[in-house]
């Protein structure tokens, strides 16, 4: 038996703890506000993966006492109809958070839709105003997946200060805000991507390695510095050959757990933390009474 196995960063357990704390907080706040917090998840079309994510978010709302005020629009919805709905939700006083579930059908412009969300209700933290606040190190609604990673590191007393953090992926959703948050926490940050030559040399220099590529199990043990903290953001569905599929991350869990000091599992790592941060953002907006 291998004596050395990484400690698991248990996002599922932490997300449950956060949800329990939020439930208590909502009960206290609700006594003053006379209504529960509300989150509107807007979904367009019938992408099965998106439908599963939306169900997950709605279930989490139910458990914490947040009203789900979401809308499911048909696949042929026009840009104008989508933006009109967002405008209605911006005006709706019961709604504290709005999230447009991505990806949208190809005929819709996701960036234009996201830009219509009132920054005060931007539960996903993707609006340019909130992204700009992150760049400037100002308070604001933070994008959920990287915020979830930061909260997970904090829970396990992993201080990024002075560490070399390497993030693989430069998307607006994950890679870029992740880099900014680690920078804010005083890590020295490198962002790698598909044009980075000799990725393995880069990843081997990481004290904290965050993989956000969407490439199944591409990070193997040889690419990881012994004792590193490895955070796997990827969620990839792979076929097991017998007609069934299973979820894997961007990290090859079995091999990397023999090298890393800390490792997030997939599922049960970053995914539940993303949902927990979405709820936190909604409750934050609610607690500010629209003054974020
Ligand atoms: P994107 O496809 O937008 O970005 C992927 C990034 O990875 C790009 O910057 C790309 O580089 C880079 N990349 C791809 N292949 C390689 C490679 N072989 N070597 C180095 N870099 C590479 O994905 P997202 O950021 O939206 O998502 C990433 C993953 O995280 C996905 O699996 C997604 O499902 C998952 N995810 C999980 C969440 C969670 O809650 N756990 C939430 C959001 C996403 P380039 O820019 O050069 O193309």
């Amino acid at each position: 038996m291998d004596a050395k196995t990484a400690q698991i960063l248990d996002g599922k357990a932490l997300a449950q703890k956060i949800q329990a704390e939020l439930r208590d907080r909502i009960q206290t706040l609700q006594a003053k506000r006379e209504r529960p917090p509300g989150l509107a998840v807007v979904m367009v079309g019938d992408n099965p993966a998106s439908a599963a994510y939306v169900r997950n978010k709605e279930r989490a709302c139910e458990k914490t006492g947040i009203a789900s005020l979401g809308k499911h629009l048909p696949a042929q919805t026009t840009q104008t109809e989508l933006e009109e709905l967002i405008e209605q939700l911006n005006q709706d006083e019961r709604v504290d958070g709005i999230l447009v579930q991505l990806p949208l059908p190809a005929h819709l412009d996701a960036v234009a839709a996201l830009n219509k969300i009132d920054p005060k209700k931007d539960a996903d933290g993707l609006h340019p105003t909130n992204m700009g606040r992150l760049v400037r190190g100002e308070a604001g609604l933070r994008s959920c997946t990287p915020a979830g990673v930061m909260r997970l590191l904090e829970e396990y007393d992993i201080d990024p200060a002075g560490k070399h953090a390497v993030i693989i992926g430069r998307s607006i959703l994950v890679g870029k805000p992740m880099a900014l948050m680690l920078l804010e926490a005083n890590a020295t940050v490198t962002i790698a991507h598909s044009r980075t030559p000799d990725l393995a040399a880069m990843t081997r220099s990481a004290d904290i390695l965050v993989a956000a590529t969407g490439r199944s199990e591409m990070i193997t043990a040889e690419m990881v510095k012994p004792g590193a903290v490895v955070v796997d953001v990827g969620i990839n569905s792979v076929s097991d050959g017998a007609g069934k599929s299973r979820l894997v991350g961007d990290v090859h869990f079995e091999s990397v757990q023999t090298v890393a000091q800390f490792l997030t599992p997939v599922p049960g790592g970053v995914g539940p933390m993303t949902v927990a941060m979405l709820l936190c953002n909604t409750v934050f907006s609610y607690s500010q009474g629209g003054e974020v």
Side-chain angles (χ1 to χ4, degrees):
M1 196 183 139
D2 195 338
K4 191 175 173 323
T5 305
Q7 183 176 349
I8 297 302
L9 300 175
D10 190 342
K12 189 173 173 196
L14 177 56
Q16 279 168 1
K17 182 174 131 183
I18 291 169
Q19 285 182 23
E21 286 165 5
L22 284 176
R23 203 166 35 235
D24 291 346
R25 180 128 194 272
I26 289 168
Q27 275 175 4
T28 313
L29 290 167
Q30 207 173 320
K32 295 180 209 139
R33 296 292 307 276
E34 293 169 345
R35 67 162 178 89
L39 174 65
V41 178
V42 177
M43 180 173 158
V44 187
D46 294 304
N47 178 324
S50 294
Y53 289 137
V54 171
R55 268 198 308 277
N56 236 337
K57 289 165 187 170
E58 288 176 347
R59 259 200 300 265
C61 282
E62 206 178 303
K63 279 197 207 151
T64 31
I66 296 174
S68 275
L69 303 166
K71 295 268 188 278
H72 187 175
L73 301 174
Q76 65 274 17
T77 299
T78 64
Q79 185 76 25
T80 310
E81 287 167 340
L82 174 60
E83 292 185 11
E84 276 171 8
L85 171 62
I86 293 171
E87 195 42 52
Q88 277 170 30
L89 295 170
N90 282 341
Q91 302 303 328
D92 190 334
E93 289 184 355
R94 300 166 306 155
V95 174
D96 302 286
I98 303 169
L99 177 152
V100 176
Q101 184 66 41
L102 301 176
L104 290 172
H107 69 281
L108 294 173
D109 180 346
V111 173
L114 294 177
N115 288 354
K116 289 282 170 201
I117 296 174
D118 181 341
K120 295 195 283 294
K121 296 190 177 187
D122 175 31
D124 234 356
L126 297 177
H127 190 281
T129 298
N130 286 313
M131 282 282 178
R133 286 176 178 150
L134 171 61
V135 172
R136 294 172 61 97
E138 296 169 2
L141 293 165
R142 297 291 194 240
S143 49
C144 298
T145 301
V149 172
M150 296 306 290
R151 181 67 184 79
L152 196 53
L153 295 180
E154 190 189 317
E155 182 71 11
Y156 286 85
D157 291 325
I158 299 165
D159 182 0
K163 308 259 168 54
H164 183 207
V166 174
I167 297 133
I168 322 172
R170 54 176 162 176
S171 72
I172 265 296
L173 188 62
V174 187
K176 280 181 189 162
M178 185 78 257
L180 289 162
M181 287 183 205
L182 284 163
L183 190 61
E184 204 170 26
N186 297 316
T188 300
V189 177
T190 304
I191 307 179
H193 46 78
S194 67
R195 310 286 183 90
T196 301
D198 201 353
L199 184 68
M202 182 65 72
T203 57
R204 272 196 301 269
S205 72
D207 304 307
I208 299 174
L209 179 62
V210 181
T213 66
R215 302 279 177 267
S216 313
E217 301 180 317
M218 70 169 278
I219 304 299
T220 52
E222 315 76 69
M223 298 172 77
V224 174
K225 179 178 179 174
V229 177
V230 179
V231 176
D232 190 354
V233 177
I235 303 178
N236 311 294
S237 179
V238 292
S239 166
D240 66 358
K244 287 201 174 155
S245 61
R246 65 189 176 98
L247 291 183
V248 298
D250 295 348
V251 175
H252 188 265
F253 187 90
E254 285 71 25
S255 70
V256 171
Q257 70 172 344
T258 65
V259 182
Q261 191 187 351
F262 292 97
L263 176 61
T264 62
V266 176
V270 177
M273 289 304 298
T274 298
V275 178
M277 293 301 108
L278 175 68
L279 305 179
C280 285
N281 276 348
T282 304
V283 174
F284 178 75
S285 298
Y286 171 74
S287 68
Q288 303 295 299
E291 296 301 322
V292 182

